[in-house]
C-alpha cells in the first residue's frame, strides 16, 4: 500500500540522509524507479507534475498505475505518490483521488494568500492522512511551462508557512529547475541555514536536484534538506540511451522496432541513474 511521505521524511531528517523524489512520466519510468528503489532498499517519493498526470490520462490513472505496479511488482519499500507543484484545485483533487502526498505551490501569491491557501490544503490533507509540502520563494528555471527567475526565500515567511503544520518545506535557495547554466552561483547555504533555523530544523525540500554537485547536496542535507527532487536527470539519460539505440540502427535490425525493445535501454538507464542517486543521497538500505 502506498504511504504518506511524512514518516519517511521525518526519519531521514533525524538520520541526516535524503529521500529521493523522482518525477515520473509513464509506465516505463514508474517501473524503473520502483525497481531501483526495491533493489537499493530505499524509501521513495514518486511524483507527477499536473502536466505529467494529464499526459498519463489523469490523476486517477496515475493513482491506479502506481498502486497496481506496487502490488504486481511485489514492492516492499515505502512508496509515496506525491503531486509536484500542485495548484490549489489540483492539490484538492489529488487528495480526493488517492495521492498520498501533495505539494501546494502558492509561492507566486503574496504571502498572506499563500498562508491562507496553504492552511486550507494542510487541514484537508491531514484529515485524510496525506502529507503536505508548501513553497516560499521561487525556484528558478522552467518546469511544466512555468518559468520563474528564482527568488531567495525569506526566513520569516518560511516560518509562517512552516508553523501551519507543513510536513516538508520547499524554499528558494538559489536552486533552478532544469539544466544548470555554466555560470550558476551554486546553492546559497547561508540562506538555507537561516531558513532551517527559523523553522526549527523541520525537513526541507531541494527542488532542481538534477546536476547539483553531490558535495553541495550533502552539505544541504546536513543543513536540513531531506527530500531531493529529480526530474531532468532521468529525462536526459532516457533520451540519450534511446538516441544511441536508434542511431546504432538497432530499431531496424530484426524486431528492434518492438516498443518493448525500443524503450528498454532508456528504462535501464533510468534504473541505473536512480540507484546512483539513491546511493549518493544515502537512502540506500533505509527501507
Ligand atoms: P529538476 O528537473 O531540475 O531535477 O527538478 C525537479 C524538481 O524540482 C521537481 O519539482
Amino acid at each position: 500500500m502506498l504511504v504518506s511521505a511524512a514518516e519517511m521524511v521525518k526519519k531521514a531528517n533525524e538520520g541526516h540522509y535524503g529521500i529521493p523524489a523522482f518525477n515520473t512520466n509513464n509506465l516505463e519510468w514508474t517501473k524503473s524507479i520502483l525497481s531501483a528503489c526495491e533493489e537499493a532498499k530505499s524509501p521513495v517519493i514518486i511524483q507527477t507534475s499536473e502536466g505529467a498526470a494529464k499526459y498519463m490520462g489523469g490523476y486517477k490513472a496515475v493513482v491506479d498505475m502506481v498502486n497496481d505496479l506496487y502490488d504486481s511488482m511485489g514492492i516492499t519499500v515505502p512508496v509515496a505518490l506525491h503531486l509536484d507543484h500542485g495548484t490549489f484545485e489540483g492539490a484538492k483533487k489529488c487528495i480526493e483521488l488517492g495521492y498520498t502526498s501533495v505539494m501546494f505551490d502558492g509561492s507566486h501569491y503574496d504571502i498572506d494568500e499563500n498562508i491562507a491557501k496553504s492552511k486550507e490544503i494542510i487541514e484537508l490533507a491531514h484529515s485524510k492522512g496525506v502529507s503536505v509540502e508548501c513553497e516560499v520563494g521561487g525556484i528558478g528555471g522552467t518546469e511544466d511551462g512555468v518559468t520563474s527567475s528564482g527568488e531567495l526565500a525569506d526566513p520569516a515567511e518560511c516560518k509562517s508557512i512552516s508553523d501551519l503544520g507543513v510536513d516538508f518545506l520547499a524554499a528558494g535557495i538559489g536552486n533552478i529547475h532544469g539544466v544548470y547554466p555554466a555560470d550558476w552561483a551554486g546553492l546559497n547555504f547561508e540562506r538555507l541555514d537561516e531558513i532551517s533555523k527559523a523553522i526549527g530544523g523541520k525537513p526541507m525540500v531541494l527542488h532542481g536536484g538534477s546536476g547539483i554537485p553531490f558535495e553541495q547536496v550533502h552539505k544541504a542535507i546536513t543543513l536540513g534538506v531531506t527530500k531531493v527532487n529529480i526530474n531532468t536527470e532521468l529525462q536526459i539519460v532516457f533520451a540519450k540511451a534511446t538516441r544511441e539505440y536508434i542511431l546504432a540502427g538497432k530499431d531496424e535490425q530484426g524486431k528492434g522496432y518492438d516498443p518493448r525493445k525500443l524503450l528498454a535501454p532508456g528504462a535501464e538507464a533510468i534504473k541505473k541513474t536512480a540507484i546512483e542517486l539513491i546511493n549518493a543521497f544515502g537512502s540506500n538500505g533505509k527501507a
Side-chain angles (χ1 to χ4, degrees):
M1 215 179 73
L2 302 182
V3 294
S4 136
E7 188 60 30
M8 65 172 87
V9 167
K10 187 166 172 279
K11 267 168 79 178
N13 193 37
E14 287 160 7
H16 302 293
Y17 58 91
I19 296 285
F22 295 118
N23 286 68
T24 190
N25 289 285
N26 60 21
L27 183 83
E28 280 75 16
W29 231 264
T30 312
K31 276 170 64 185
S32 296
I33 294 166
L34 285 172
S35 152
C37 294
E38 185 66 24
E39 201 168 301
K41 293 282 164 266
S42 171
V44 65
I45 296 171
I46 296 186
Q47 55 190 16
T48 72
S49 63
E50 294 192 352
K54 193 170 170 201
Y55 168 79
M56 286 182 269
Y59 299 128
K60 170 100 174 32
V62 175
V63 168
D64 290 348
M65 174 182 71
V66 179
N67 270 297
D68 288 353
L69 285 175
Y70 182 89
D71 288 341
S72 52
M73 289 174 71
I75 302 298
T76 60
V77 299
V79 178
L81 174 60
H82 180 79
L83 174 67
D84 188 28
H85 291 286
T87 57
F88 187 65
E89 290 310 321
K92 280 191 183 168
K93 199 83 201 145
C94 286
I95 294 168
E96 178 195 326
L97 292 177
Y99 275 62
T100 58
S101 186
V102 293
M103 173 182 191
F104 164 62
D105 181 356
S107 59
H108 50 287
Y109 294 115
D110 67 49
I111 187 64
D112 291 335
E113 192 164 0
N114 190 0
I115 291 173
K117 288 193 157 70
S118 295
K119 186 167 184 283
E120 198 173 326
I121 295 293
I122 292 166
E123 280 168 7
L124 177 67
H126 284 176
S127 75
K128 313 244 186 230
V130 169
S131 48
V132 184
E133 170 181 348
C134 294
E135 178 169 323
V136 180
I139 316 294
T142 302
E143 192 177 71
D144 230 7
V146 180
T147 300
S148 162
S149 55
E151 178 203 338
L152 292 182
D154 173 61
E157 291 187 359
C158 288
K159 179 170 165 29
S160 329
I161 296 275
S162 173
D163 285 354
L164 300 172
V166 142
D167 295 284
F168 26 96
L169 183 76
I173 50 165
N175 39 343
I176 300 172
H177 287 126
V179 176
Y180 282 86
D183 60 352
W184 178 53
L187 294 175
N188 189 317
F189 293 112
E190 206 178 312
R191 183 58 60 97
L192 168 57
D193 194 36
E194 281 167 16
I195 296 169
S196 180
K197 287 190 173 120
I199 66 171
K202 271 189 161 185
M204 288 179 60
V205 183
L206 183 60
H207 280 254
S210 299
I212 300 181
F214 288 152
E215 313 86 72
Q216 290 195 37
V217 177
H218 290 154
K219 188 164 176 193
I221 290 173
T222 64
L223 293 172
V225 159
T226 311
K227 171 178 181 272
V228 186
N229 286 4
I230 301 284
N231 186 13
T232 301
E233 195 159 345
L234 297 187
Q235 297 190 353
I236 288 174
V237 297
F238 179 86
K240 182 168 181 287
T242 309
R243 186 181 343 109
E244 281 167 6
Y245 180 89
I246 293 175
L247 289 181
K250 293 188 182 163
D251 56 321
E252 292 178 334
Q253 294 164 20
K255 286 203 168 178
Y257 53 79
D258 176 340
R260 284 179 256 168
K261 293 205 169 84
L262 186 64
L263 298 178
E268 277 157 26
I270 291 174
K271 181 174 172 185
K272 182 169 168 279
T273 305
I275 291 178
E276 285 165 10
L277 292 166
I278 288 165
N279 291 339
F281 303 160
S283 64
N284 50 312
K286 298 293 198 307

